[in-house]
Amino acid sequence: MIEKDNYSLLSHNTFGIAASARHFITYDSVADLQAVVAHVRTDYADEPVLHIGGGSNLLFLSDFNGVVLHSAIKGIERINEGECGRLRVGAAVVWDDFVAYCVEHGFHGVENLSLIPGDVGASAVQNIGAYGAEVKDVIAEVETVDLHEGTVRVFPVSECGYGYRQSVFKSTLRGRYAVTHVLFKLSREFRPDLDYGGVREALRHSGIRPEAVTAEELRRTIIDIRKAKLPDPTRQGNAGSFFMNPVVEHGEYERLKADYSTMPHYDMGHGGVKIPAGWLIEQCGWKGRALGRAAVHDRQALVLVNRGGATGKDILDLCEAVRTDVLKKFGIAIQPEVNFIGTAS
Ligand code: EPU
């Protein structure tokens, strides 16, 4: 374990917010994490504990006056070969490095999730999703350490409580378990999912016949779509989608549809109707608009960006202004997807 005090978190949050941690501890194995848990329980018993991954879904509203834990558990291990390829992956492996490995070695099912920022551990907490795919569909088990007891607990996918950008790790069991490894079940056969609006068109646009697409070509196409729409966090601080897409009841959808006939929507059957928050925000005139040092991205209104030197409070003020306008215009309370840490002064 490596411990540093009064440690800058600037390079640990893709929003690029200047915040610091009173204690920052990195560990690189399950046994090491268990030792960290014992150390924190003994020496920092009264301090709050926060586990972070790649920091691509965090907004620091203040310094963190407690212990920040950070995994350095790497490695991709082949569990068995055959029809269903199983890979056991360390939580600190960069998500997109894992996708690149899969595509290169013929493990399929994650191509549509290419270029999502963050690491493998966070992917299982957040249930990352894009272009019609969600990581929950390729997860077999999530291995964790209990941050109270130091014991190992393995969650079969059925016990992870997965839903749209949701899991037990970010709801009922929030803060209790640190993910150490994820066991993925991948297909050795490439069966591309091209049904999400835009993917087929983008393939044709690049001169690729959708029926003949390869895994490499699909990955490259998804990367190109993302690069065209989403800001690169290494150039402009952001945390991807800032808000979740709201799901409304069918009656509510009908009411909105009567006024806004062109409103994009996705019918989830009995689960209601999902409406893109990006569209709602754009309709309120916020796309590309700034408020101080924070702005709504000009190509995807679901993303808030740091224009340079923004504080967590700057981003929060913009978030609230956007939410207020969407509520006023559409009667829908959109919810942030990003996790707020600390409190704004
Ligand atoms: N739209 C607008 N204006 C905008 C943005 C979107 O009108 O500024 C409309 C689009 O025209 C389209 C619809 O909204 O009709 C959906 O847009 P898009 O395909 O860009 O997807 P999204 O629903 O806005 C979600 C995920 C993204 C993911 C994309 C692609 C959430 C919160 N976000 O965005 O995830 O990449 O689908 O599948 O579900 C992330 O989580 O960080 C993220 C980027």
Side-chain angles (χ1 to χ4, degrees):
M1 107 181 57
I2 300 172
E3 179 169 347
K4 292 178 178 159
D5 289 345
N6 301 317
Y7 181 81
S8 169
L9 296 168
L10 194 58
S11 63
H12 289 279
N13 73 104
T14 59
F15 247 126
I17 304 292
S20 65
R22 189 182 288 160
H23 312 286
F24 186 87
I25 305 178
T26 308
Y27 58 88
D28 63 6
S29 68
V30 170
D32 201 17
L33 174 56
Q34 290 173 314
V36 169
V37 171
H39 163 51
V40 170
R41 217 166 29 190
T42 312
D43 299 313
Y44 307 131
D46 300 330
E47 299 195 28
V49 174
L50 170 70
H51 194 288
I52 65 168
S56 54
N57 210 37
L58 296 177
L59 180 64
F60 286 105
L61 298 174
S62 56
D63 288 336
F64 192 76
N65 293 320
V67 186
V68 172
L69 304 181
H70 184 56
S71 173
I73 300 180
K74 298 275 188 187
I76 300 178
E77 197 187 329
R78 294 188 184 199
I79 297 299
N80 62 18
E81 298 290 337
E83 223 166 274
C84 182
R86 289 190 174 236
L87 296 176
R88 180 173 180 260
V89 186
V93 171
V94 172
W95 170 261
D96 195 54
D97 291 350
F98 167 61
V99 177
Y101 175 97
C102 289
V103 168
E104 192 182 331
H105 294 92
F107 292 90
H108 300 293
V110 286
E111 295 83 1
N112 294 27
L113 304 177
S114 291
L115 206 65
I116 293 182
D119 58 27
V120 163
S123 78
V125 173
Q126 190 64 15
N127 186 22
I128 57 172
Y131 305 101
E134 279 185 316
V135 76
K136 72 171 174 55
D137 296 327
V138 289
I139 288 179
E141 288 173 1
V142 178
E143 299 175 33
T144 69
V145 164
D146 183 329
L147 293 176
H148 294 181
E149 309 294 337
T151 46
V152 169
R153 177 167 171 193
V154 178
F155 290 76
V157 67
S158 57
E159 289 176 20
C160 294
Y162 283 130
Y164 167 60
R165 298 293 194 279
Q166 202 51 260
S167 73
V168 287
F169 309 113
K170 57 179 289 197
S171 55
T172 47
L173 301 178
R174 190 188 185 96
R176 178 75 193 254
Y177 295 93
V179 176
T180 56
H181 297 86
V182 180
L183 180 65
F184 291 95
K185 51 174 196 308
L186 297 143
S187 172
R188 297 301 262 155
E189 197 188 318
F190 180 47
R191 286 184 294 261
D193 177 2
L194 310 177
D195 287 341
Y196 189 88
V199 176
R200 246 174 245 278
E201 290 68 19
L203 286 172
R204 287 205 188 93
H205 187 76
S206 312
I208 299 165
R209 280 189 307 123
E211 328 58 270
V213 68
T214 66
E216 289 81 2
E217 286 168 339
L218 179 55
R219 169 167 164 75
R220 176 47 50 200
T221 302
I222 296 288
I223 288 175
D224 289 345
I225 298 175
R226 289 187 74 93
K227 282 191 170 164
K229 270 195 183 178
L230 298 165
D232 176 352
T234 62
R235 290 168 169 224
Q236 189 172 40
N238 75 86
S241 299
F242 193 91
F243 300 100
M244 287 190 273
N245 287 329
V247 177
V248 302
E249 310 232 313
H250 281 90
E252 171 80 346
Y253 164 70
E254 295 297 340
R255 179 186 70 75
L256 289 163
K257 189 80 183 162
D259 289 336
Y260 305 98
S261 60
T262 60
M263 183 173 71
H265 63 280
Y266 175 69
D267 196 337
M268 304 176 71
H270 294 303
V273 181
K274 195 187 269 186
I275 301 182
W279 184 86
L280 297 170
I281 296 167
E282 182 170 351
Q283 296 302 306
C284 292
W286 272 106
K287 194 169 185 169
R289 226 171 103 192
L291 185 68
R293 288 171 291 192
V296 177
H297 187 52
D298 56 3
R299 275 169 286 149
Q300 164 55 291
L302 198 52
V303 178
L304 303 190
V305 297
N306 179 351
R307 298 174 73 216
T311 61
K313 173 80 163 53
D314 291 330
I315 308 282
L316 183 64
D317 287 347
L318 176 61
C319 160
E320 287 311 327
V322 166
R323 289 186 75 202
T324 302
D325 283 2
V326 170
L327 186 62
K328 240 190 257 165
K329 189 172 171 75
F330 295 102
I332 298 177
I334 54 172
Q335 301 300 336
E337 184 196 350
V338 165
N339 298 307
F340 296 169
I341 309 297
T343 44
S345 49

